[in-house]
mmCIF file of all heavy atoms in Angstrom:
data_model
loop_
_atom_site.group_PDB
_atom_site.id
_atom_site.type_symbol
_atom_site.label_atom_id
_atom_site.label_comp_id
_atom_site.label_asym_id
_atom_site.label_seq_id
_atom_site.Cartn_x
_atom_site.Cartn_y
_atom_site.Cartn_z
ATOM 1 N N PRO A 144 23.664 -16.734 17.836
ATOM 2 C CA PRO A 144 23.823 -17.050 16.412
ATOM 3 C C PRO A 144 25.279 -16.803 15.988
ATOM 4 O O PRO A 144 25.980 -15.939 16.514
ATOM 5 C CB PRO A 144 22.881 -16.059 15.762
ATOM 6 C CG PRO A 144 22.739 -14.937 16.770
ATOM 7 C CD PRO A 144 22.821 -15.575 18.115
ATOM 8 N N ASP A 145 25.744 -17.562 15.004
ATOM 9 C CA ASP A 145 27.052 -17.422 14.485
ATOM 10 C C ASP A 145 27.217 -16.046 13.862
ATOM 11 O O ASP A 145 26.424 -15.619 13.014
ATOM 12 C CB ASP A 145 27.233 -18.534 13.425
ATOM 13 C CG ASP A 145 28.685 -18.554 12.956
ATOM 14 O OD1 ASP A 145 29.458 -17.661 13.326
ATOM 15 O OD2 ASP A 145 29.060 -19.470 12.160
ATOM 16 N N SER A 146 28.265 -15.322 14.202
ATOM 17 C CA SER A 146 28.452 -13.932 13.722
ATOM 18 C C SER A 146 28.647 -13.981 12.207
ATOM 19 O O SER A 146 28.283 -13.076 11.498
ATOM 20 C CB SER A 146 29.641 -13.309 14.402
ATOM 21 O OG SER A 146 30.821 -14.057 14.175
ATOM 22 N N LYS A 147 29.304 -15.025 11.676
ATOM 23 C CA LYS A 147 29.473 -15.090 10.255
ATOM 24 C C LYS A 147 28.124 -15.248 9.519
ATOM 25 O O LYS A 147 27.935 -14.666 8.457
ATOM 26 C CB LYS A 147 30.383 -16.296 9.923
ATOM 27 C CG LYS A 147 31.837 -16.140 10.379
ATOM 28 C CD LYS A 147 32.651 -17.338 10.004
ATOM 29 C CE LYS A 147 34.119 -17.149 10.433
ATOM 30 N NZ LYS A 147 34.922 -18.355 10.042
ATOM 31 N N THR A 148 27.193 -16.009 10.137
ATOM 32 C CA THR A 148 25.882 -16.181 9.525
ATOM 33 C C THR A 148 25.109 -14.851 9.489
ATOM 34 O O THR A 148 24.482 -14.479 8.474
ATOM 35 C CB THR A 148 25.048 -17.229 10.321
ATOM 36 O OG1 THR A 148 25.771 -18.449 10.338
ATOM 37 C CG2 THR A 148 23.721 -17.452 9.616
ATOM 38 N N VAL A 149 25.179 -14.123 10.629
ATOM 39 C CA VAL A 149 24.498 -12.812 10.691
ATOM 40 C C VAL A 149 25.077 -11.873 9.644
ATOM 41 O O VAL A 149 24.372 -11.177 8.908
ATOM 42 C CB VAL A 149 24.674 -12.243 12.126
ATOM 43 C CG1 VAL A 149 24.062 -10.802 12.138
ATOM 44 C CG2 VAL A 149 23.917 -13.111 13.152
ATOM 45 N N THR A 150 26.405 -11.842 9.547
ATOM 46 C CA THR A 150 27.067 -10.961 8.595
ATOM 47 C C THR A 150 26.659 -11.344 7.165
ATOM 48 O O THR A 150 26.436 -10.475 6.317
ATOM 49 C CB THR A 150 28.573 -11.028 8.751
ATOM 50 O OG1 THR A 150 28.928 -10.725 10.062
ATOM 51 C CG2 THR A 150 29.301 -10.108 7.772
ATOM 52 N N ALA A 151 26.590 -12.654 6.918
ATOM 53 C CA ALA A 151 26.256 -13.155 5.592
ATOM 54 C C ALA A 151 24.821 -12.702 5.214
ATOM 55 O O ALA A 151 24.535 -12.261 4.108
ATOM 56 C CB ALA A 151 26.330 -14.650 5.510
ATOM 57 N N ASP A 152 23.890 -12.824 6.212
ATOM 58 C CA ASP A 152 22.500 -12.443 5.967
ATOM 59 C C ASP A 152 22.399 -10.910 5.684
ATOM 60 O O ASP A 152 21.651 -10.510 4.806
ATOM 61 C CB ASP A 152 21.578 -12.790 7.166
ATOM 62 C CG ASP A 152 21.347 -14.296 7.278
ATOM 63 O OD1 ASP A 152 21.567 -14.974 6.243
ATOM 64 O OD2 ASP A 152 20.993 -14.761 8.325
ATOM 65 N N VAL A 153 23.124 -10.164 6.455
ATOM 66 C CA VAL A 153 23.139 -8.712 6.207
ATOM 67 C C VAL A 153 23.660 -8.365 4.860
ATOM 68 O O VAL A 153 23.155 -7.487 4.128
ATOM 69 C CB VAL A 153 23.883 -7.995 7.312
ATOM 70 C CG1 VAL A 153 24.066 -6.487 7.007
ATOM 71 C CG2 VAL A 153 23.217 -8.136 8.695
ATOM 72 N N SER A 154 24.729 -9.046 4.468
ATOM 73 C CA SER A 154 25.345 -8.793 3.156
ATOM 74 C C SER A 154 24.391 -9.138 2.035
ATOM 75 O O SER A 154 24.313 -8.466 1.041
ATOM 76 C CB SER A 154 26.656 -9.612 3.031
ATOM 77 O OG SER A 154 27.552 -9.231 4.020
ATOM 78 N N ILE A 155 23.704 -10.283 2.196
ATOM 79 C CA ILE A 155 22.721 -10.702 1.167
ATOM 80 C C ILE A 155 21.592 -9.736 1.121
ATOM 81 O O ILE A 155 21.105 -9.354 0.040
ATOM 82 C CB ILE A 155 22.191 -12.141 1.500
ATOM 83 C CG1 ILE A 155 23.292 -13.134 1.292
ATOM 84 C CG2 ILE A 155 21.020 -12.504 0.642
ATOM 85 C CD1 ILE A 155 22.926 -14.560 1.692
ATOM 86 N N MET A 156 21.131 -9.228 2.261
ATOM 87 C CA MET A 156 20.028 -8.234 2.309
ATOM 88 C C MET A 156 20.431 -6.968 1.617
ATOM 89 O O MET A 156 19.689 -6.424 0.810
ATOM 90 C CB MET A 156 19.612 -7.935 3.746
ATOM 91 C CG MET A 156 18.373 -7.084 3.835
ATOM 92 S SD MET A 156 17.850 -6.852 5.535
ATOM 93 C CE MET A 156 19.198 -5.865 6.179
ATOM 94 N N ASP A 157 21.678 -6.507 1.847
ATOM 95 C CA ASP A 157 22.158 -5.327 1.198
ATOM 96 C C ASP A 157 22.275 -5.523 -0.318
ATOM 97 O O ASP A 157 21.953 -4.616 -1.110
ATOM 98 C CB ASP A 157 23.549 -4.931 1.751
ATOM 99 C CG ASP A 157 23.490 -4.399 3.189
ATOM 100 O OD1 ASP A 157 22.395 -3.949 3.592
ATOM 101 O OD2 ASP A 157 24.501 -4.400 3.869
ATOM 102 N N ALA A 158 22.683 -6.736 -0.731
ATOM 103 C CA ALA A 158 22.754 -7.019 -2.120
ATOM 104 C C ALA A 158 21.384 -7.072 -2.766
ATOM 105 O O ALA A 158 21.184 -6.603 -3.925
ATOM 106 C CB ALA A 158 23.498 -8.381 -2.320
ATOM 107 N N CYS A 159 20.395 -7.558 -2.016
ATOM 108 C CA CYS A 159 19.021 -7.593 -2.531
ATOM 109 C C CYS A 159 18.471 -6.207 -2.680
ATOM 110 O O CYS A 159 17.768 -5.907 -3.712
ATOM 111 C CB CYS A 159 18.130 -8.336 -1.535
ATOM 112 S SG CYS A 159 18.304 -10.142 -1.546
ATOM 113 N N ILE A 160 18.759 -5.298 -1.753
ATOM 114 C CA ILE A 160 18.283 -3.918 -1.836
ATOM 115 C C ILE A 160 18.927 -3.257 -3.056
ATOM 116 O O ILE A 160 18.278 -2.536 -3.845
ATOM 117 C CB ILE A 160 18.582 -3.193 -0.555
ATOM 118 C CG1 ILE A 160 17.754 -3.743 0.585
ATOM 119 C CG2 ILE A 160 18.296 -1.676 -0.715
ATOM 120 C CD1 ILE A 160 18.116 -3.226 1.967
ATOM 121 N N ALA A 161 20.235 -3.437 -3.211
ATOM 122 C CA ALA A 161 20.965 -2.858 -4.351
ATOM 123 C C ALA A 161 20.356 -3.383 -5.673
ATOM 124 O O ALA A 161 20.150 -2.588 -6.630
ATOM 125 C CB ALA A 161 22.432 -3.166 -4.277
ATOM 126 N N ARG A 162 20.042 -4.669 -5.723
ATOM 127 C CA ARG A 162 19.425 -5.248 -6.925
ATOM 128 C C ARG A 162 18.051 -4.665 -7.155
ATOM 129 O O ARG A 162 17.699 -4.331 -8.322
ATOM 130 C CB ARG A 162 19.368 -6.769 -6.745
ATOM 131 C CG ARG A 162 18.615 -7.467 -7.856
ATOM 132 C CD ARG A 162 19.283 -7.330 -9.184
ATOM 133 N NE ARG A 162 18.665 -8.132 -10.188
ATOM 134 C CZ ARG A 162 18.908 -8.019 -11.484
ATOM 135 N NH1 ARG A 162 19.829 -7.144 -11.894
ATOM 136 N NH2 ARG A 162 18.308 -8.783 -12.380
ATOM 137 N N MET A 198 13.555 -9.494 -5.299
ATOM 138 C CA MET A 198 14.531 -9.746 -4.245
ATOM 139 C C MET A 198 14.405 -11.203 -3.787
ATOM 140 O O MET A 198 15.445 -11.818 -3.389
ATOM 141 C CB MET A 198 14.268 -8.777 -3.078
ATOM 142 C CG MET A 198 14.704 -7.368 -3.389
ATOM 143 S SD MET A 198 14.737 -6.277 -1.956
ATOM 144 C CE MET A 198 12.950 -5.962 -1.759
ATOM 145 N N PHE A 201 16.381 -13.183 -6.270
ATOM 146 C CA PHE A 201 17.790 -12.827 -6.174
ATOM 147 C C PHE A 201 18.398 -13.475 -4.914
ATOM 148 O O PHE A 201 19.553 -14.006 -4.967
ATOM 149 C CB PHE A 201 17.924 -11.315 -6.092
ATOM 150 C CG PHE A 201 19.337 -10.815 -6.175
ATOM 151 C CD1 PHE A 201 20.041 -10.873 -7.357
ATOM 152 C CD2 PHE A 201 19.982 -10.330 -5.026
ATOM 153 C CE1 PHE A 201 21.376 -10.416 -7.444
ATOM 154 C CE2 PHE A 201 21.296 -9.889 -5.115
ATOM 155 C CZ PHE A 201 21.991 -9.929 -6.323
ATOM 156 N N ALA A 202 17.689 -13.503 -3.796
ATOM 157 C CA ALA A 202 18.189 -14.077 -2.574
ATOM 158 C C ALA A 202 18.332 -15.583 -2.743
ATOM 159 O O ALA A 202 19.319 -16.163 -2.236
ATOM 160 C CB ALA A 202 17.235 -13.772 -1.422
ATOM 161 N N LEU A 205 21.529 -16.395 -4.398
ATOM 162 C CA LEU A 205 22.721 -16.219 -3.554
ATOM 163 C C LEU A 205 22.863 -17.304 -2.507
ATOM 164 O O LEU A 205 23.709 -17.264 -1.619
ATOM 165 C CB LEU A 205 22.662 -14.855 -2.871
ATOM 166 C CG LEU A 205 22.750 -13.607 -3.770
ATOM 167 C CD1 LEU A 205 22.651 -12.347 -2.928
ATOM 168 C CD2 LEU A 205 24.058 -13.643 -4.554
ATOM 169 N N ASN A 207 20.160 -18.633 -0.425
ATOM 170 C CA ASN A 207 19.221 -18.620 0.670
ATOM 171 C C ASN A 207 17.835 -19.125 0.245
ATOM 172 O O ASN A 207 16.837 -18.442 0.349
ATOM 173 C CB ASN A 207 19.102 -17.221 1.256
ATOM 174 C CG ASN A 207 20.230 -16.885 2.205
ATOM 175 O OD1 ASN A 207 21.368 -17.165 1.880
ATOM 176 N ND2 ASN A 207 19.892 -16.306 3.318
ATOM 177 N N ASP A 210 14.866 -19.505 3.264
ATOM 178 C CA ASP A 210 14.209 -18.359 3.890
ATOM 179 C C ASP A 210 14.318 -17.108 2.942
ATOM 180 O O ASP A 210 14.284 -15.951 3.436
ATOM 181 C CB ASP A 210 14.790 -18.050 5.243
ATOM 182 C CG ASP A 210 16.298 -17.809 5.174
ATOM 183 O OD1 ASP A 210 16.894 -18.105 4.104
ATOM 184 O OD2 ASP A 210 16.882 -17.314 6.158
ATOM 185 N N GLU A 213 11.258 -14.605 3.219
ATOM 186 C CA GLU A 213 11.288 -13.744 4.424
ATOM 187 C C GLU A 213 12.397 -12.710 4.366
ATOM 188 O O GLU A 213 12.211 -11.607 4.829
ATOM 189 C CB GLU A 213 11.447 -14.644 5.671
ATOM 190 C CG GLU A 213 10.162 -15.333 6.128
ATOM 191 C CD GLU A 213 9.060 -14.312 6.450
ATOM 192 O OE1 GLU A 213 9.359 -13.302 7.135
ATOM 193 O OE2 GLU A 213 7.921 -14.500 5.990
ATOM 194 N N LEU A 214 13.507 -13.154 3.811
ATOM 195 C CA LEU A 214 14.626 -12.205 3.658
ATOM 196 C C LEU A 214 14.246 -11.026 2.733
ATOM 197 O O LEU A 214 14.654 -9.898 2.984
ATOM 198 C CB LEU A 214 15.848 -12.931 3.125
ATOM 199 C CG LEU A 214 17.190 -12.150 3.052
ATOM 200 C CD1 LEU A 214 17.603 -11.654 4.425
ATOM 201 C CD2 LEU A 214 18.258 -12.950 2.403
ATOM 202 N N ALA A 215 13.449 -11.344 1.749
ATOM 203 C CA ALA A 215 12.988 -10.326 0.807
ATOM 204 C C ALA A 215 12.096 -9.327 1.515
ATOM 205 O O ALA A 215 12.174 -8.095 1.266
ATOM 206 C CB ALA A 215 12.256 -10.964 -0.373
ATOM 207 N N THR A 217 12.197 -8.624 4.712
ATOM 208 C CA THR A 217 13.094 -7.837 5.599
ATOM 209 C C THR A 217 13.853 -6.774 4.789
ATOM 210 O O THR A 217 14.010 -5.609 5.220
ATOM 211 C CB THR A 217 14.101 -8.753 6.305
ATOM 212 O OG1 THR A 217 13.381 -9.759 7.046
ATOM 213 C CG2 THR A 217 14.943 -7.960 7.284
ATOM 214 N N ALA A 218 14.323 -7.167 3.599
ATOM 215 C CA ALA A 218 15.083 -6.231 2.747
ATOM 216 C C ALA A 218 14.151 -5.108 2.277
ATOM 217 O O ALA A 218 14.578 -3.925 2.242
ATOM 218 C CB ALA A 218 15.645 -6.989 1.558
ATOM 219 N N LEU A 219 12.899 -5.421 1.972
ATOM 220 C CA LEU A 219 11.975 -4.406 1.527
ATOM 221 C C LEU A 219 11.641 -3.437 2.642
ATOM 222 O O LEU A 219 11.584 -2.209 2.423
ATOM 223 C CB LEU A 219 10.654 -5.049 1.055
ATOM 224 C CG LEU A 219 9.584 -4.138 0.447
ATOM 225 C CD1 LEU A 219 10.160 -3.347 -0.749
ATOM 226 C CD2 LEU A 219 8.397 -4.945 -0.005
ATOM 227 N N THR A 221 13.700 -2.660 5.145
ATOM 228 C CA THR A 221 14.885 -1.862 5.284
ATOM 229 C C THR A 221 14.963 -0.781 4.174
ATOM 230 O O THR A 221 15.365 0.362 4.398
ATOM 231 C CB THR A 221 16.138 -2.750 5.228
ATOM 232 O OG1 THR A 221 16.060 -3.716 6.264
ATOM 233 C CG2 THR A 221 17.429 -1.950 5.414
ATOM 234 N N MET A 222 14.536 -1.188 3.004
ATOM 235 C CA MET A 222 14.510 -0.236 1.865
ATOM 236 C C MET A 222 13.549 0.895 2.093
ATOM 237 O O MET A 222 13.878 2.065 1.795
ATOM 238 C CB MET A 222 14.135 -1.042 0.581
ATOM 239 C CG MET A 222 14.261 -0.283 -0.720
ATOM 240 S SD MET A 222 13.939 -1.396 -2.122
ATOM 241 C CE MET A 222 13.891 -0.183 -3.451
ATOM 242 N N GLN A 225 15.141 3.226 4.557
ATOM 243 C CA GLN A 225 16.151 4.023 3.885
ATOM 244 C C GLN A 225 15.578 5.141 3.054
ATOM 245 O O GLN A 225 16.210 6.220 2.893
ATOM 246 C CB GLN A 225 17.028 3.101 2.989
ATOM 247 C CG GLN A 225 17.920 2.122 3.746
ATOM 248 C CD GLN A 225 18.691 1.214 2.831
ATOM 249 O OE1 GLN A 225 18.489 1.195 1.626
ATOM 250 N NE2 GLN A 225 19.564 0.394 3.402
#
Side-chain angles (χ1 to χ4, degrees):
D145 188 352
S146 60
K147 292 183 179 179
T148 303
V149 173
T150 304
D152 286 343
V153 172
S154 300
I155 291 174
M156 187 176 67
D157 290 340
C159 286
I160 293 172
R162 174 62 176 169
M198 289 191 284
F201 188 74
L205 294 178
N207 279 45
D210 58 348
E213 280 303 312
L214 185 60
T217 304
L219 184 57
T221 303
M222 188 174 172
Q225 290 176 354

